[in-house]
């Protein structure tokens, strides 16, 4: 039997006869030859079907095949320097698996975003979407390898939770048997803070939910986030860890995902600059930058998406903005001992206008201080009982951060909207497919 | 400055002075020496504090320290063959970071499960729970490496979905803005079936939800599942892939997690037998086994947890039970061409009475056949429109499976109840902590 091989391995089979199982994504024909463009999920290749080798009926049938026909072809692999991938196949036999019932709805012409999103289950077959997901695959693996090699322990935090995390609004809730409401988690951080007392260095990496009505190109209602937490790490250790993670991930992606970045036309010179150390500026300096840029910004204001764009465009690599006013940040952040209006936190803004990809901070680790902050913020003490508990027995200084995967992928791939950085995006208008 | 090192790396620092940051989990004292048992998340070590080297007040203070005190010690590393890990530390300085506010609630005495679950945020510090999570960490990494190395593309499937998956009951729902109800996904399979047309071989790995009122030791309302789907794979290819995944994962865990398996007292000879090929028996043969065991079983009955235990105990490695009656399996499974009362599926049952860890099948790939099955099952056609769409353009035979991570970890670690195989378990009675 002739061997079934994947296109990505084709270079190992030059001058051999192999079988490819895939789909026809394009074709052109002369009177004597069909040029079939095939893909099989791992790559693309041109298959040459010469009229003289086949009976007339089959040759005519292939001429009429619609794009997206699934097919199994067998043929001899030939090195062909003029071909995009460097190889071609001379077809010896061809079998159509399924011919489309109708014309494929996604054509080469421009489609509106709504149409493409409605057909996301088909749109992901397009070369660009394929390349983005191949890069996402590399990015996620790089992140997991980074943490594993750095001896972090994976602690999968729960999605269903009675506790609240960052902000009481913007939560999806469900009826949970006889226990009342449960919420879809906005962060695994609180659970990681419990886990560091057992494991020292931990991370979680899973879907996260925000019932926000934000409609920007940086928001999804469901997105993936990796969060890390380390016992005995202070603010500076935390910032160093973030930097190392991003450099590792970008380097790995540049190394392993080059062909996919090329498909996207990504200017990778913009990623080659991503080296340590990243610039660090204080929140106060960031406000000054905004003022200089003519923005009506003053100390105490939050830094939104547009402002992040202005700041991040001033640097050739991610910039870390540290020590924000405590009033615009979460209750659990450690106060700056040198300025009690500030907290020891940082946001990392990706360059080229991409903005925030990471938010991190040193956490309050003293029982009484945290209790006071929970009360000041009118948070439900009962839900936070276990979170306070952590500070009763062997509390330690600790720090951590969260990184949004779709924002990271959007920056690395150079796409505009994060909805293309996740296989099946969820926005306030979209729960289908 | 003296170097902060982790206990797992201590062998590199013999005769050097190092700093350890961690927690005291036990101690004993003679009049002249304190023996402090320390842990730092990476391992355990004994630190020796000799009275003559310290001032009286400090020596007395340490004698009174409660367990779970967080502390930073500095001392010289000494090889000590009698010590459990092979090393000890002679303390030169000691700093307590936080002394517990009260006595630690979890003591060496037996605690009830409810008490322990209520204190899960502390219970995870215990040596047994620590070891289980370290093993889970290895298991998850092994699975992700397996798929990455086998060139599968990670396709994170959505949690929030309008579609339904396996069974219409047992779903958690939320109000989703103006779009009505959304559901928490029971499976990513349907999305993977869309993705194989783009990527060939895909997997997803995330939390999964079942609003089931099951109270067995094998059920959680939230659990992690890895699912794989491959274009052009038939039933037999699918079973082979499952087998390879399980063998790879068990071998990697045996190789990398030996110290943690030892802490649990796991009889690893029971895992050394996990080699290909796994035994395969038909559903009909499984029914015969149950009858022989005196069970009142007949063809057409579902095989529940107790029955799985009986079957799986007959084998020294996982057994694959294939071709179940179609009426007790999901609507999307391909009919057995040799017996149309059966579907081309398999469940993999782990040995030692653990039961089902994998369920897989070949899927229906023809449009009209699937449409008919959706109608027969009275499923909402509108929600399945995109799922049907996949079969209109370039459909291919395909197969896939899902593996429950907590069940896998429970079997590998040899624990009884899967609630200890996940950091913060969710059952119908528990959403806290």
């Amino acid at each position: 039997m002739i061997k079934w091989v994947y296109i990505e391995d084709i270079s190992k089979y030059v001058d051999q006869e192999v079988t490819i199982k895939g789909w026809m994504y394009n074709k052109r024909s002369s009177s004597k030859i069909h040029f079939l463009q095939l893909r099989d999920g791992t790559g693309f290749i041109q298959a040459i079907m010469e009229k003289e080798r086949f009976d007339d009926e089959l040759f005519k049938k292939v001429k009429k095949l619609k794009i997206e026909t699934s097919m199994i072809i067998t043929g001899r692999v030939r090195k062909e320097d003029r071909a995009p991938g460097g190889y071609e196949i001379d077809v010896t036999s061809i079998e159509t698996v399924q011919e489309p019932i109708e014309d494929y709805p996604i054509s080469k012409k421009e489609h509106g975003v709504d149409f493409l999103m409605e057909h996301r289950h088909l749109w992901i077959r397009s070369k660009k979407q394929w390349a983005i997901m191949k890069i996402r695959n590399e990015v996620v693996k790089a992140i997991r390898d980074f943490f594993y090699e750095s001896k972090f322990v994976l602690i999968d935090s729960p999605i269903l939770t009675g506790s609240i995390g960052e902000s009481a609004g913007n939560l999806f809730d469900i009826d949970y048997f006889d226990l009342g409401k449960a919420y879809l988690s906005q962060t695994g951080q609180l659970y990681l803070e419990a886990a560091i007392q057992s494991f020292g260095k931990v991370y979680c990496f899973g879907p996260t939910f925000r019932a926000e009505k934000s409609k920007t190109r940086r928001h999804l209602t469901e997105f993936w986030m990796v969060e890390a937490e380390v016992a005995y790490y202070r603010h500076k250790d935390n910032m160093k860890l973030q930097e190392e993670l991003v450099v590792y991930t970008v380097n790995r992606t540049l190394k392993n995902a080059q062909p996919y970045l090329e498909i996207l036309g990504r200017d990778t010179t913009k990623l080659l600059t991503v080296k340590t150390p990243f610039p660090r500026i204080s929140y106060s300096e960031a406000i000054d930058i905004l003022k200089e840029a003519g923005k009506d910004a003053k100390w105490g204001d939050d830094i939104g998406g547009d402002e992040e764009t202005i700041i991040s465009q001033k640097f050739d690599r991610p910039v870390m903005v540290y020590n924000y006013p405590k009033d615009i940040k979460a209750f659990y952040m450690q106060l700056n001992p040198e300025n009690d209006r500030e907290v020891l936190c940082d946001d990392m803004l990706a360059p080229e206008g991409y903005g925030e990809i990471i938010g991190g901070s040193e956490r309050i680790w003293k029982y009484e201080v945290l209790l006071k902050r929970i009360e000041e913020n009118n948070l439900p003490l009962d839900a936070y009982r276990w979170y306070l508990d952590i500070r009763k027995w062997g509390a330690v200084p600790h720090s951590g951060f969260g990184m949004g995967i779709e924002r990271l992928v959007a920056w690395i791939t150079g796409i505009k909207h994060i909805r293309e950085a996740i296989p099946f995006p969820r926005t306030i208008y979209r729960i289908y497919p």
Side-chain angles (χ1 to χ4, degrees), chain A residues 182-350:
Chain A
Y183 302 91
L184 301 192
S185 177
Q186 291 182 320
T187 172
Q189 177 200 319
L190 281 60
Y191 293 94
L192 294 187
E193 287 186 65
I196 52 163
Q197 264 75 224
S198 180
F199 304 98
K201 304 192 276 191
V202 299
Y203 75 108
C204 64
F205 195 165
T208 311
F209 303 86
R210 303 270 161 99
E212 281 179 276
K213 294 215 165 173
S214 304
K215 286 173 259 180
T216 83
R217 64 189 175 88
R218 293 175 183 167
H219 285 89
L220 296 168
T221 55
E222 176 179 338
F223 60 98
W224 280 67
M225 184 156 69
V226 60
E227 296 176 88
E229 196 76 29
V230 187
Y232 291 107
Y233 263 31
R234 310 311 285 248
H235 190 28
K236 277 187 183 148
D237 308 311
N238 192 30
M239 286 169 73
K240 190 155 174 287
L241 179 65
Q242 294 164 29
E243 205 177 51
E244 285 167 359
L245 170 64
V246 171
V247 169
Y248 181 98
T249 305
V250 169
N251 281 344
R252 269 274 299 262
T253 309
L254 281 170
K255 182 164 168 271
N256 294 346
Q258 201 65 47
Y260 316 121
L261 291 164
E262 267 169 38
I263 288 171
L264 299 175
R266 179 67 168 123
D267 177 0
T268 50
T269 62
K270 296 268 168 76
L271 296 173
L272 289 168
T273 55
V274 181
K275 293 193 165 77
T276 54
F278 292 173
R280 288 154 164 76
I281 61 171
S282 70
Y283 166 86
S284 302
E285 289 169 307
I287 292 294
D288 289 342
I289 289 174
L290 293 173
K291 280 180 186 160
E292 277 164 35
K295 278 272 168 185
D296 181 24
K298 61 177 189 307
W299 201 96
D301 290 351
D302 205 353
I303 294 180
D306 291 345
E307 289 79 17
E308 286 172 12
T309 298
I310 293 168
I311 298 163
S312 66
Q313 276 170 342
K314 290 188 80 83
F315 300 93
D316 71 343
R317 64 197 73 187
V319 54
M320 300 165 94
V321 183
Y322 59 87
N323 295 9
Y324 282 64
K326 82 171 176 190
D327 291 339
I328 58 170
K329 286 291 179 183
F331 71 94
Y332 49 68
M333 292 185 182
Q334 184 84 337
L335 292 181
N336 181 359
E338 288 162 20
N339 179 347
D340 66 6
R341 293 194 308 157
E342 292 177 358
V343 282
L344 297 176
C345 72
D346 75 286
D347 282 356
M348 186 191 288
L349 313 182

Side-chain angles (χ1 to χ4, degrees), chain A residues 91-126:
Chain A
V91 180
T92 49
S93 82
I94 183 166
E95 175 199 338
T96 59
V97 177
Q98 192 229 9
E99 294 179 46
I101 293 173
E102 314 162 8
D103 281 342
Y104 193 60
I106 300 178
S107 57
K108 287 217 183 298
K109 71 166 193 212
E110 281 281 311
H111 294 283
V113 161
D114 281 346
F115 178 87
L116 291 170
M117 293 281 275
E118 188 72 10
H119 292 85
R120 181 66 177 169
H121 52 293
L122 305 175
W123 187 28
I124 50 167
R125 300 185 192 183
S126 79

Side-chain angles (χ1 to χ4, degrees), chain A residues 159-163 171-176 179-184:
Chain A
I159 304 298
L160 299 175
T161 169
S163 296
L171 284 167
F172 290 112
D173 61 47
I174 62 164
D175 292 317
Y176 196 81
L179 299 177
K181 291 281 181 207
Y183 302 91
L184 301 192

